[in-house]
Amino acid sequence: MASTMPVMADESPADSTAQVQSVTPSYRRNGKLFSCEPCRRGKLRCDHNSPVCGRCARRGKADQCIYHPAPLTKPRAENPGLGPHRTAASNPRLSTIGPYPTPSIENKQNGLVSPPSSTDTQQGKHSAFRISTSQPVILQTPDVEDPPDLPSLPADKIQQGAEVLSMLRDLPVYRKFTQRWFELCDGIVVLQPVFRIWIDELWNEFGRILAEGNPEQMRSLSELVWRNTRRPMRIHGSMTAREWAKSASGRNLRWEVVGVVLSLVGLIAVNLSNWDTIFDSIRERYVDRATFAERMRKASEYCLCFCYESEVLNDIYVCFMFEDLVLVECLKGDAHYAAWQRTGEVCDAIVAMGLHQGNRPGPECPFFLAELRKKIFVSAYGHDKVVATFLGRPPRLSHRYCKMEYPLDLSDDQLFSEGAELEAALLTLDRNGWNTQGCLNRTTWLRVWSQHCRLREDILEIALGSDDEDIERRGQEVRQKMDHLHSSGPAHIQITPEQILSDTSSPLGIGLPLKQKKEAMRQVNAMFVLCIHTGIIHTEFLLQRALTIRTRTDTKKLIPIARRMLKLVLLAQSRRDFFRDFQGDIIYLLALHGLPAAGVLAVELLIESQTRQYAPEVLPRSETIQDLSVFISALGSVGPGEGNYSICKQGRKALARVLDQILSPNPPPPVSTSGEQLILDDSSVLFPIGNDADFLSWLENVEWDKNNWIDQPAPSMAGPTEPPVQ
């Protein structure tokens, strides 16, 4: 049927039909109307009004409200992008990453960042991202030869780099994420002022090129970054932190810095809640928080591969590797093989650089870099112990071959300072390196955490060792070290999480400007204190569990520790709205601290129910059942998009089965083969597995409704178990 709309003299009927369909919704094959493009992409309900739907009219997007005649039709891409067929041909490691779905470089009309107008440039508006007007039309790479031992740079690598760099066109949006994080605390490893210099120098130098996305200019920029990365960084003892930062950004931009930016933005996104308003600025392009964080991870992974091909080994690269490791764990889970693999790569790089042999200022290492290297080492060392403890595997870094040097308790701004300001900051430290001003910096938590991880290595030797002699003596030595560590700590880390959450006038600070909101300071202070105390009680839990397994003693000493650890986790969960900027940390507490404690308490309750041997002074039955019920509900709040979702789902299923069996009416007492009631005195029933990951698997697979699980426990990883009591 011919169109009834009038046809302009200079357009064909086909063009007229397309115009009609662009403003009038058509019908799908199921009889329903098509939604307009903004509503369809945002997965929002459209009222199908023409020419502008009501939602677009309210949101001020009338110019974008069109009804596409075939919205799911994708144009054939001339540039296939970063796919496996490209990467596999040149680097086997890249082939494991898979395609990287970056938007086409030529597609600029939907970009989040628009090039600044000439009026803004002429007026010189004050902005942290003011774009330099002195850039050439085509970026010229410096006339510097590549290292002779590296192959020449192929064109496909330059193109891959250009597509990764296209992600930086949204750098002003990424800066909102980093500002949000740095208002709360210091950087994860990289110093906060250094990171700010990196992104400011990057955007001031290449902002126009990134915003415009011209393919030829992007390839020239990619070639420049490749050449910079293939050249070693020059460091000397009198180098300042500002000079060091500028030597890796701007015209000296390297893939390590690009990777740090992308991975840190992804980490910040993971820790924020799904309903945070900051995601409104990225929703149209990245859909949601999980998609945005995964996109950042894939982009940073390509930067890792670029560094690998360039044979890079420097301080920024190791910082980048560690931040990427944390991002992988947040998205894939702590039990994922990728996390274990990345941990090994970080440890290998640290050993190759010699960071495990001590880091002191000298002719080739300035003071700030020596402290940064200490932070890198203790972060990797502690992380190695956490993963080894959870999986029950030997650690990669041993204190026997490392020089344990802990970073001074200084904030990032203090460490970045120079001259008299730095000297004044050093005078605020005591002889053990703790700050005396009562500030909770990120380094404060890092010092406590890494020192307890040193004790966990001794605990791993007890739990995984084959020597059965002097187990109790070795356990007593570890306990003495633990008591000494607690008594030697500063007073401001002795405050309990309950105190800081209940006291709104807490004097604790985190070394941040006074203009920061008081509520935000309380949020960070409470999270730091909560993580410190949860880590301390978890170390005690690991020690007592190892002693219980190896010496086959009763669990009376372990139950109070497990109850305290579960209480701390439930406290964090109950204030989840308060910890709005630390959602990833809450999930970490649930998975790696709460589940081991809850599993111990649940099995102990079931043993009491089936043996009728109650000990209310050690394990209050009603209170513990309530805590377990709340904890199971908390595990259910972890969604599929979270990295530790599989761990939480597995633990929730196992604990629910145990709790159902506990609450079932009149559970029959277990009997032995001779018909007598079974009396339990073998702790291997409670701990058939010596690590958290396998313990969760055992919890899930045991047939709790059959009493033979008590007198036929699973084989122990900690050694042969005694025969069941007859």
Side-chain angles (χ1 to χ4, degrees):
M1 180 180 294
S3 173
T4 59
M5 295 292 292
V7 180
M8 301 297 293
D10 57 345
E11 66 179 2
S12 63
D15 295 335
S16 175
T17 303
Q19 183 178 1
V20 172
Q21 291 177 338
S22 67
V23 297
T24 305
S26 57
Y27 287 90
R28 294 184 288 180
R29 285 185 294 180
N30 60 3
K32 296 183 179 180
L33 288 170
F34 277 119
S35 298
C36 69
E37 286 299 285
C39 293
R40 184 184 66 83
R41 292 176 179 175
K43 300 185 183 300
L44 303 173
R45 183 181 296 276
C46 183
D47 58 14
H48 311 290
N49 287 342
S50 178
V52 179
C53 75
R55 186 179 295 274
C56 288
R58 292 192 300 270
R59 299 171 68 190
K61 296 186 176 182
D63 57 333
Q64 302 178 26
C65 185
I66 61 172
Y67 295 91
H68 198 286
L72 298 182
T73 302
K74 297 182 179 180
R76 177 174 296 180
E78 297 180 0
N79 182 7
L82 298 176
H85 61 283
R86 280 179 171 246
T87 57
S90 55
N91 189 349
R93 181 174 179 177
L94 282 174
S95 63
T96 63
I97 300 176
Y100 175 56
T102 55
S104 175
I105 294 177
E106 291 80 0
N107 185 14
K108 303 185 293 294
Q109 63 270 21
N110 293 328
L112 298 178
V113 182
S114 58
S117 63
S118 58
T119 305
D120 294 343
T121 305
Q122 293 172 1
Q123 293 178 353
K125 289 187 176 182
H126 178 71
S127 172
F129 284 105
R130 185 173 59 254
I131 300 179
S132 173
T133 59
S134 60
Q135 296 179 14
V137 178
I138 300 296
L139 185 67
Q140 299 294 330
T141 57
D143 188 15
V144 179
E145 295 183 359
D146 289 332
D149 55 339
L150 290 178
S152 59
L153 201 59
D156 62 331
K157 294 300 176 186
I158 296 177
Q159 179 61 31
Q160 290 176 3
E163 298 197 21
V164 172
L165 289 173
S166 68
M167 296 285 293
L168 297 180
R169 67 185 179 277
D170 295 336
L171 195 60
V173 178
Y174 302 162
R175 191 171 189 269
K176 295 180 181 179
F177 284 83
T178 57
Q179 282 180 332
R180 173 77 167 273
W181 181 262
F182 289 147
E183 287 176 356
L184 296 173
C185 60
D186 290 333
I188 296 177
V189 178
V190 177
L191 302 182
Q192 177 187 152
V194 170
F195 185 88
R196 287 196 172 117
I197 290 176
W198 282 346
I199 58 176
D200 288 345
E201 291 286 322
L202 193 162
W203 189 258
N204 289 338
E205 187 70 35
F206 305 119
R208 184 176 298 279
I209 294 176
L210 295 172
E212 293 177 353
N214 180 275
E216 186 176 356
Q217 291 184 347
M218 294 298 294
R219 284 191 290 269
S220 297
L221 177 57
S222 173
E223 184 177 0
L224 173 65
V225 178
W226 271 104
R227 291 181 179 274
N228 290 337
T229 307
R230 291 155 75 100
R231 295 197 302 270
M233 295 186 65
R234 306 297 181 185
I235 301 174
H236 53 84
S238 59
M239 194 176 200
T240 65
R242 185 176 300 276
E243 293 172 346
W244 181 74
K246 289 188 175 183
S247 68
S249 190
R251 298 288 298 185
N252 301 310
L253 182 63
R254 306 171 65 93
W255 286 123
E256 306 99 285
V257 173
V258 176
V260 168
V261 172
L262 296 172
S263 60
L264 181 59
V265 172
L267 272 172
I268 297 171
V270 167
N271 275 280
L272 299 178
S273 58
N274 287 315
W275 56 87
D276 199 294
T277 56
I278 197 172
F279 292 107
D280 293 341
S281 59
I282 65 169
R283 188 155 287 129
E284 288 192 7
R285 174 170 294 174
Y286 299 101
V287 181
D288 54 20
R289 178 182 67 95
T291 304
F292 177 73
E294 179 64 18
R295 188 74 59 84
M296 295 297 106
R297 184 195 67 81
K298 288 185 177 180
S300 67
E301 195 156 337
Y302 271 89
C303 293
L304 269 181
C305 295
F306 295 161
C307 294
Y308 179 82
E309 289 194 355
S310 301
E311 300 183 6
V312 170
L313 185 61
N314 55 47
D315 302 287
I316 303 177
Y317 177 56
V318 180
C319 291
F320 171 33
M321 292 178 69
F322 183 79
E323 291 192 357
D324 179 78
L325 161 64
V326 179
L327 178 59
V328 167
E329 288 186 336
C330 290
L331 293 175
K332 293 181 177 292
D334 293 85
H336 198 278
Y337 173 72
W340 174 256
Q341 182 186 38
R342 296 293 178 83
T343 303
E345 293 177 355
V346 172
C347 294
D348 291 343
I350 284 178
V351 173
M353 286 192 64
L355 303 187
H356 65 299
Q357 297 176 345
N359 301 280
R360 295 292 180 91
E364 298 181 357
C365 181
F367 171 77
F368 80 90
L369 190 56
E371 290 299 309
L372 177 61
R373 288 175 175 177
K374 292 177 184 178
K375 289 180 63 176
I376 297 172
F377 169 72
V378 298
S379 298
Y381 176 86
H383 196 89
D384 178 45
K385 302 305 167 292
V386 171
V387 176
T389 301
F390 182 77
L391 298 177
R393 298 172 182 172
R396 267 70 171 255
L397 292 174
S398 173
H399 73 279
R400 303 182 187 279
Y401 306 101
C402 299
K403 189 173 183 179
M404 303 300 297
E405 293 180 345
Y406 302 102
L408 298 177
D409 191 9
L410 298 172
S411 67
D412 283 359
D413 289 329
Q414 290 174 324
L415 193 56
F416 186 79
S417 61
E418 306 170 15
E421 186 178 357
L422 178 59
E423 293 293 335
L426 293 175
L427 291 176
T428 62
L429 304 177
D430 62 14
R431 60 186 182 90
N432 294 321
W434 298 100
N435 78 80
T436 57
Q437 297 178 323
C439 296
L440 280 175
N441 306 302
R442 187 175 186 86
T443 311
T444 309
W445 167 81
L446 184 60
R447 286 170 59 92
V448 178
W449 177 65
S450 57
Q451 291 178 21
H452 274 272
C453 288
R454 164 64 186 85
L455 297 178
R456 292 189 185 186
E457 186 174 350
D458 294 336
I459 297 173
L460 278 170
E461 292 181 357
I462 296 175
L464 303 180
S466 58
D467 186 9
D468 293 333
E469 297 181 0
D470 297 331
I471 295 295
E472 294 184 359
R473 179 186 60 81
R474 293 168 61 188
Q476 186 63 28
E477 291 176 353
V478 175
R479 196 175 300 280
Q480 291 176 356
K481 294 179 182 178
M482 194 181 305
D483 294 339
H484 174 72
L485 186 60
H486 294 172
S487 61
S488 61
H492 59 275
I493 67 172
Q494 305 295 337
I495 184 173
T496 64
E498 292 86 354
Q499 289 174 323
I500 193 172
L501 285 173
S502 60
D503 185 8
T504 58
S505 60
S506 174
L508 286 177
I510 53 175
L512 296 177
L514 295 177
K515 64 180 181 180
Q516 190 180 44
K517 295 181 180 179
K518 185 177 181 180
E519 190 70 11
M521 293 181 66
R522 287 188 61 236
Q523 179 189 177
V524 181
N525 289 335
M527 178 53 67
F528 277 150
V529 171
L530 190 62
C531 290
I532 287 174
H533 283 264
T534 307
I536 291 174
I537 200 70
H538 196 189
T539 304
E540 297 178 3
F541 175 85
L542 293 172
L543 174 60
Q544 189 58 48
R545 185 176 68 176
L547 293 175
T548 301
I549 295 173
R550 296 301 302 275
T551 61
R552 296 182 175 86
T553 57
D554 59 48
T555 59
K556 291 183 179 180
K557 294 182 179 180
L558 181 65
I559 298 304
I561 302 175
R563 290 185 59 205
R564 172 59 179 165
M565 188 159 66
L566 183 60
K567 290 287 187 182
L568 288 177
V569 174
L570 292 178
L571 175 64
Q573 173 65 23
S574 67
R575 304 298 297 273
R576 190 160 186 169
D577 291 341
F578 175 73
F579 294 118
R580 57 188 176 276
D581 298 318
F582 296 94
Q583 298 298 306
D585 294 281
I586 299 296
I587 296 175
Y588 177 87
L589 292 174
L590 289 172
L592 269 73
H593 295 281
L595 273 175
V600 168
L601 297 177
V603 176
E604 181 68 19
L605 276 178
L606 187 57
I607 291 177
E608 288 187 352
S609 299
Q610 296 188 350
T611 61
R612 305 295 178 88
Q613 300 176 16
Y614 301 103
E617 69 282 356
V618 178
L619 186 65
R621 180 179 174 84
S622 176
E623 180 183 350
T624 306
I625 291 177
Q626 293 179 40
D627 289 343
L628 290 176
S629 301
V630 174
F631 182 72
I632 292 174
S633 176
L635 293 178
S637 66
V638 180
E642 307 297 341
N644 283 317
Y645 167 73
S646 59
I647 297 177
C648 294
K649 180 181 178 181
Q650 180 185 12
R652 181 173 180 266
K653 178 181 177 182
L655 292 175
R657 292 178 60 224
V658 178
L659 202 58
D660 288 342
Q661 187 64 25
I662 293 173
L663 298 177
S664 61
N666 300 322
V671 294
S672 64
T673 55
S674 60
E676 299 177 355
Q677 182 173 338
L678 185 63
I679 305 298
L680 296 176
D681 59 359
D682 186 1
S683 63
S684 63
V685 169
L686 184 57
F687 303 107
I689 300 297
N691 65 79
D692 296 333
D694 291 335
F695 180 56
L696 291 178
S697 178
W698 178 77
L699 280 176
E700 184 179 15
N701 296 321
V702 167
E703 297 180 359
W704 300 108
D705 54 339
K706 298 181 180 180
N707 294 326
N708 59 358
W709 71 270
I710 294 182
D711 54 359
Q712 293 182 358
S716 172
M717 292 181 61
T721 59
E722 295 179 357
V725 178
Q726 299 294 333

